[in-house]
Amino acid sequence: MVIKGVIVDILNRRQFKGAIEILGEKISKIYEEDHDEKGFIVPGFIDAHVHIESSMLVPSQFAKIAVTHGTVATVSDPHEIANVLGLEGVKYMIEEGKKVPLKFFFGAPSCVPATTFETAGATINSDGIKELLSHKDIYYLAEMMNYPGVIFKDEDIHKKLQYAKEFNKKIDGHAPGVTGEDLKTYIEAGISTDHECFTTQEALEKLSLGMKILIREGSAAKNFNALSALIDYYYEHLMFCSDDKHPDDLLEGHINQLCARSVAQGEDIYKVLQMACINPVDHYNLNVGKLQVGDSADFVVLEDLKTFKTVKTYIEGELVFENNRINFTSDHPTILNNFSCSYKQPRDFDTLAYNSTSKVIVAKDGELITTKEVFSLPRNGHSLECDLENDILKIAVINRYKDAPISTGFIKNFGLKKGAIASSVAHDSHNIIAVGANPDDMCEAVNAIISEKGGIAVAEKGKIDLLPLPIGGIMSNKPCKEVAKKYSQLDKLAKNLGSKLTSPFMTLSFMGLLVIPSLKLSDLGLFDGEKFEFTPLHHP
């Protein structure tokens, strides 16, 4: 098979009219040739860090959309399903990924649960990590979120790190805001990447100590604008990633979008493509072609080098996408889950008031981090109430693995004037998380999710709308377009209730993520992410 077009040779920084000969799965020959074929041929794009589960799609359905954007491979952390189903969940993702041509390179989730301050559905200790790392389908130790455990020499954490070194597999990092001597200690443990930088200064310090920095642009955390200035000087040490991307955003684009944005702001095309196509292959030692003779025939044909619109995608010599047609199918996914809790009552969402002064989580649009403030809130008998005038709503986390008391607190910046939203996509343990203007609607939304053993929901005065997520309570068994359509409807409903957030459900899903500062809520209580300990709701 011969493919013609304008060949973009990233490593030698040149473009030429030419042809690529493919023999089996490999590129057998590349040569210059004058012709009239249009299109630019570049290596396939790679998402250098993504949780497939956040798309609410199984890998086979994710692949069908990713290839339309020129993605040929992902460095995938199955951390989300592992927190629900443990080793069984990781193996599930691997097997689902094998059903399609897209190359999923899965890691061993290093922190299951992410902390001991929440209830997860499973635990993977150092013995479990050793088992996973010995598997040929596990390519690296996934993000080490427990940075205090690294810094303060937690024995089990350091066993996991040691096993990764023994199996000669890379170790991914997760160290938001960690600097100075703590950062040096963290990196010296063998951790090589970070995707949590939200300032240039933070990224520069990590780069200076030898880390690779992943510029992340997901549905909630958007760091491209803050970090893209690094591309010109540090491109050899940078990669692109999405981390968490909801289905509606995935339909719009993937790594190709970040290439387009980079070039639009004047970045060198070869530097950008090296980040998107070459650096992940070299860092993780991936079996993905770099458009060289002898490489796996993994490449894309683009309409141009401005919009990066994909015309064709090839993986191992197979034309998997062409002119808006996906050329592969997949079986219906197996449904497995871990969900066991009873329906709730509105009174279960009461917050007992020892006094009126309460700590409040302050959410930030487009960020995973929060800040904290203290407010005097209205009371109804012995219970603290929302303050809608000041945009202070109630937040609750409900243990979905067993019946337990509901954990409640207060949150600012969600903007709801009425109703409630809830989700069983709630990093990292994936308990049910809800934000609402009143306990009745919060209870309705939560019970709708319980009835389906997973989903995202909007409730207001008895009206409920729901996207069921039957696989692990975090993924659908439906195609992307169907999931995206329903998700978009729910997103619109949440905004009709008053939310001004760009992605209300994505932001909601991170309000229980304890390893991101500064104030979050788990099913066990309010948590100070800076001190890494529980903190009382009431302010003295």
Side-chain angles (χ1 to χ4, degrees):
M1 181 166 59
V2 178
I3 312 300
K4 297 181 180 181
V6 178
I7 297 170
V8 181
D9 184 351
I10 299 169
L11 298 178
N12 293 305
R13 298 179 60 82
R14 60 188 289 256
Q15 300 176 27
F16 58 91
K17 285 187 176 183
I20 298 173
E21 289 187 5
I22 301 171
L23 184 62
E25 299 176 357
K26 305 286 187 179
I27 294 176
S28 59
K29 192 175 182 181
I30 299 176
Y31 51 91
E32 293 191 35
E33 178 185 294
D34 192 29
H35 54 68
D36 296 325
E37 292 290 332
K38 296 180 180 180
F40 293 81
I41 303 174
V42 304
F45 301 122
I46 302 167
D47 191 331
H49 174 75
V50 61
H51 304 281
I52 301 298
E53 305 96 310
S54 290
S55 69
M56 300 182 226
L57 306 170
V58 293
S60 53
Q61 294 297 330
F62 179 96
K64 290 179 180 179
I65 306 305
V67 297
T68 70
H69 304 308
T71 301
V72 300
T74 64
V75 180
S76 306
D77 178 0
H79 174 90
E80 314 306 339
I81 196 69
N83 269 279
V84 177
L85 288 159
L87 297 179
E88 182 186 10
V90 176
K91 293 170 184 176
Y92 175 86
M93 296 296 281
I94 291 171
E95 292 308 311
E96 278 293 318
K98 288 180 178 179
K99 294 179 178 180
V100 290
L102 189 121
K103 296 183 174 184
F104 293 100
F105 295 98
F106 286 105
S110 66
C111 300
V112 178
T115 74
T116 58
F117 302 101
E118 57 197 303
T119 304
T123 298
I124 301 179
N125 59 18
S126 55
D127 291 337
I129 290 297
K130 184 178 182 180
E131 178 188 335
L132 283 173
L133 288 170
S134 68
H135 201 292
K136 64 180 178 62
D137 291 319
I138 294 292
Y139 290 84
Y140 66 104
L141 183 63
E143 57 180 313
M144 179 48 71
M145 306 175 77
N146 189 352
Y147 53 85
V150 177
I151 295 164
F152 297 110
K153 312 297 183 185
D154 178 275
E155 183 179 355
D156 200 58
I157 291 295
H158 277 266
K159 278 185 180 180
K160 295 175 181 180
L161 297 171
Q162 186 58 37
Y163 288 142
K165 295 171 189 174
E166 290 176 7
F167 284 103
N168 195 30
K169 294 182 178 180
K170 295 289 186 181
I171 304 171
D172 266 7
H174 168 113
V178 178
T179 61
E181 292 302 315
D182 284 348
L183 179 60
K184 290 179 182 177
T185 300
Y186 185 75
I187 294 172
E188 286 168 359
I191 298 165
S192 60
T193 69
D194 190 85
H195 59 272
E196 293 291 345
C197 296
F198 47 87
T199 67
T200 302
Q201 183 178 358
E202 180 182 357
L204 286 171
E205 182 178 3
K206 290 172 178 175
L207 284 164
S208 73
L209 294 171
M211 267 189 157
K212 300 289 197 304
I213 298 300
L214 280 58
I215 297 179
R216 171 179 61 187
E217 192 78 355
S219 293
K222 299 179 182 294
N223 307 127
F224 178 87
N225 288 340
L227 302 179
S228 60
L230 298 168
I231 292 174
D232 193 31
Y233 292 100
Y234 299 98
Y235 68 96
E236 293 176 305
H237 309 286
L238 303 176
M239 294 174 259
F240 289 123
C241 78
S242 65
D243 197 1
D244 298 282
K245 204 168 181 70
H246 269 180
D248 56 337
D249 288 336
L250 182 62
L251 281 175
E252 294 298 316
H254 198 192
I255 300 303
N256 61 327
Q257 285 182 320
L258 298 183
C259 293
R261 288 176 64 181
S262 300
V263 170
Q265 68 181 29
E267 303 296 346
D268 179 271
I269 182 66
Y270 299 106
K271 294 177 180 180
V272 171
L273 288 174
Q274 179 163 332
M275 291 170 56
C277 312
I278 305 297
N279 290 350
V281 177
D282 291 345
H283 180 73
Y284 292 100
N285 192 29
L286 305 179
N287 179 26
V288 179
K290 297 188 287 187
L291 208 61
Q292 303 287 298
V293 173
D295 281 359
S296 178
D298 310 318
F299 58 87
V300 298
V301 180
L302 302 175
E303 190 173 282
D304 56 54
L305 297 179
K306 292 183 179 180
T307 65
F308 289 82
K309 181 180 178 181
T310 302
V311 179
K312 298 178 183 179
T313 302
Y314 291 85
I315 299 178
E316 293 187 344
E318 179 184 350
L319 180 59
V320 297
F321 171 74
E322 178 182 20
N323 296 327
N324 299 315
R325 188 176 72 252
I326 300 160
N327 294 333
F328 60 90
T329 60
S330 62
D331 299 334
H332 293 295
T334 303
I335 293 178
L336 72 169
N337 210 329
N338 183 5
F339 216 105
S340 182
C341 66
S342 303
Y343 292 117
K344 307 305 175 187
Q345 300 294 326
R347 63 176 178 273
D348 296 330
F349 293 82
D350 286 349
T351 304
L352 294 180
Y354 301 106
N355 61 54
S356 296
T357 307
S358 174
K359 296 169 188 170
V360 174
I361 300 167
V362 181
K364 293 181 175 292
D365 197 13
E367 297 283 357
L368 307 190
I369 61 168
T370 63
T371 55
K372 52 189 173 186
E373 294 184 25
V374 176
F375 290 89
S376 181
L377 299 178
R379 297 172 65 167
N380 181 5
H382 295 292
S383 181
L384 281 182
E385 299 287 296
C386 301
D387 182 353
L388 299 185
E389 285 189 12
N390 290 306
D391 188 19
I392 300 173
L393 303 169
K394 183 163 284 191
I395 181 171
V397 178
I398 299 92
N399 187 324
R400 61 110 137 182
Y401 301 105
K402 62 181 180 181
D403 284 325
I406 292 175
S407 176
T408 63
F410 293 91
I411 192 163
K412 185 174 174 62
N413 286 347
F414 264 77
L416 302 183
K417 301 301 181 186
K418 54 187 178 180
I421 62 175
S423 175
S424 59
V425 177
H427 305 282
D428 274 323
S429 294
H430 300 291
N431 288 300
I432 305 170
I433 190 166
V435 166
N438 63 79
D440 289 341
D441 287 327
M442 292 177 75
C443 186
E444 291 274 13
V446 167
N447 283 341
I449 290 171
I450 292 171
S451 71
E452 294 289 341
K453 297 188 181 299
I456 64 174
V458 177
E460 195 236 333
K461 292 183 179 178
K463 293 185 292 185
I464 302 166
D465 209 342
L466 174 80
L467 168 61
L469 299 173
I471 300 175
I474 57 176
M475 290 181 286
S476 173
N477 57 341
K478 304 294 185 183
C480 183
K481 289 185 179 179
E482 189 174 331
V483 178
K485 181 179 179 181
K486 189 63 179 179
Y487 175 78
S488 295
Q489 290 172 354
L490 291 169
D491 180 77
K492 184 176 181 180
L493 287 173
K495 290 170 180 174
N496 288 343
L497 295 178
S499 181
K500 299 293 192 294
L501 293 171
T502 304
S503 183
F505 285 102
M506 184 61 91
T507 300
L508 176 66
S509 73
F510 287 104
M511 294 302 99
L513 183 56
L514 308 187
V515 293
I516 300 285
S518 65
L519 192 63
K520 297 289 176 72
L521 185 71
S522 87
D523 68 296
L524 300 178
L526 196 64
F527 190 79
D528 187 323
E530 294 173 335
K531 296 179 179 179
F532 224 71
E533 62 185 21
F534 288 116
T535 184
L537 176 67
H538 298 283
H539 190 72

